[in-house]
Amino acid sequence: MKTKALHDFLREHADSMTAEWLHSRTYEPNSVYSSDTPDHMTKELKEQNKLFIMTLVNLLEDPLNDRLSSWAQEIATERALSETPLYRTIHQFTRFRFIFWEYVEKYISIHKDGITSADILYWSKSIHSAFDHAIELFTRYYYQVSDARIEAQKTIIYKLTTPIIPISDEIGILPIVGDIDTHRAQLISETAIKKAEELKLNYIVVDISGVLLIDTMVAGQLFKMIQMLKLLGIDVTITGIRPEIAQTATQLGIDFGNLATFGQLKHALRYLFRDQSN
């Protein structure tokens, strides 16, 4: 009964707790939590915090009624998409935890004659555990959204930085520059095949002079791309194979024997244009 009475007290004071939290804000440039945020944003923060209180108290009342996950996912998604630094939201959790516990202390002060130290210890453990649970969930979802955004941005960058450059109606160049992981190698393959078909190319020169290292997975993906281009009737030439990459390819069991290879791009182009003129 004492615990239920505490929960009812906390629900009844949700508005007051939220108001204190909003009032305690300070000026933070370009932050959703700044004291100078527009009224509509302050209203949104108010509703989000009140929902947090109700969800938190429901969890304290019934551990099986855990709806913190959906709340944390929604807020984490908003904060990640708005690029709010994680530390700022964690700081707000810390500030509000202090306010929340102050209201628990107010309840204890009002009903001190009927409350034991065991009650206080139990409330302390359960409340702090619930806050920790909320922070953990928020952090997990925040990183999921952030990672997804980073991967999406990487995909766009990779597509922009690995174009096929047509230099004639029949010949295109695919320059590959920088580090290549398996994900990027797959994107290069998909983009190259699609673009080669669109341009109706007969020859593609894959220039890897700007690639530093090639591991087994990346090499396999690139050579799979080459085979698919050949199946489409496109002749593939490779240029820029440095000695260390050639040595690595040999160690990996990759056979360059069936491919036209040149040390420099200009040599490959000279060969292809001469071949076309004959």
Side-chain angles (χ1 to χ4, degrees):
M1 289 295 293
K2 286 183 288 187
T3 299
K4 185 180 185 310
L6 170 63
H7 295 160
D8 292 340
F9 178 86
L10 294 171
R11 288 193 186 94
E12 290 168 6
H13 290 82
D15 285 331
S16 299
M17 284 188 275
T18 300
E20 284 192 33
W21 172 61
L22 292 173
H23 183 70
S24 68
R25 290 178 299 170
T26 58
Y27 175 68
E28 300 179 36
N30 304 316
S31 170
V32 67
Y33 298 112
S34 181
S35 56
D36 66 343
T37 53
D39 289 342
H40 75 275
M41 181 58 67
T42 298
K43 182 180 179 181
E44 185 175 332
L45 288 173
K46 180 179 179 180
E47 294 304 317
Q48 290 173 346
N49 197 68
K50 285 175 62 178
L51 179 58
F52 173 62
I53 294 171
M54 297 303 179
T55 305
L56 190 70
V57 174
N58 288 341
L59 174 63
L60 294 171
E61 197 167 64
D62 179 9
L64 297 178
N65 186 21
D66 185 0
R67 297 182 181 178
L68 274 177
S69 182
S70 58
W71 179 89
Q73 186 173 26
E74 179 182 346
I75 305 304
T77 301
E78 285 190 17
R79 299 296 177 266
L81 293 178
S82 66
E83 298 184 352
T84 300
L86 182 59
Y87 73 87
R88 284 187 167 167
T89 302
I90 298 300
H91 178 61
Q92 298 304 319
F93 271 113
T94 302
R95 288 176 55 243
F96 186 68
R97 187 201 297 248
F98 181 79
I99 294 170
F100 192 89
W101 185 253
E102 279 188 330
Y103 274 80
V104 176
E105 291 177 341
K106 288 180 181 180
Y107 176 82
I108 293 171
S109 178
I110 295 170
H111 303 88
K112 56 186 176 183
D113 292 337
I115 295 174
T116 66
S117 58
D119 294 327
I120 297 173
L121 181 60
Y122 171 75
W123 293 338
S124 176
K125 287 182 176 179
S126 59
I127 288 171
H128 289 304
S129 176
F131 265 89
D132 290 342
H133 178 51
I135 293 171
E136 180 184 346
L137 288 170
F138 175 87
T139 305
R140 182 192 308 166
Y141 289 126
Y142 184 95
Y143 274 114
Q144 286 179 0
V145 176
S146 296
D147 288 346
R149 290 191 72 202
I150 291 171
E151 288 303 317
Q153 290 168 354
K154 283 171 60 177
T155 298
I156 293 172
I157 292 171
Y158 287 162
K159 286 183 177 180
L160 290 174
T161 56
T162 54
I164 288 182
I165 304 169
I167 58 173
S168 74
D169 291 339
E170 297 186 26
I171 302 173
I173 302 173
L174 175 60
I176 303 177
V177 180
D179 296 333
I180 307 178
D181 56 18
T182 306
H183 178 60
R184 187 185 177 199
Q186 184 175 355
L187 284 173
I188 291 172
S189 298
E190 294 172 356
T191 304
I193 293 168
K194 182 178 179 181
K195 195 67 177 178
E197 288 187 291
E198 289 177 1
L199 295 172
K200 295 181 171 51
L201 298 174
N202 292 325
Y203 304 91
I204 287 183
V205 181
V206 180
D207 181 31
I208 60 173
S209 58
V211 177
L212 299 178
L213 296 172
I214 294 181
D215 63 18
T216 308
M217 297 297 293
V218 170
Q221 186 66 48
L222 291 179
F223 276 84
K224 180 179 178 182
M225 173 193 73
I226 291 170
Q227 294 302 317
M228 292 182 69
L229 289 170
K230 291 175 71 175
L231 287 174
L232 293 173
I234 300 171
D235 287 337
V236 180
T237 301
I238 298 182
T239 65
I241 302 177
R242 298 193 309 280
E244 58 270 28
I245 290 182
Q247 184 177 5
T248 300
T250 302
Q251 292 172 348
L252 296 174
I254 297 171
D255 183 13
F256 288 103
N258 296 324
L259 294 173
T261 60
F262 294 86
Q264 296 182 35
L265 178 60
K266 64 181 181 180
H267 297 152
L269 295 180
R270 187 182 302 153
Y271 169 80
L272 289 174
F273 280 116
R274 183 185 302 163
D275 185 57
Q276 284 186 299
S277 63
N278 292 335

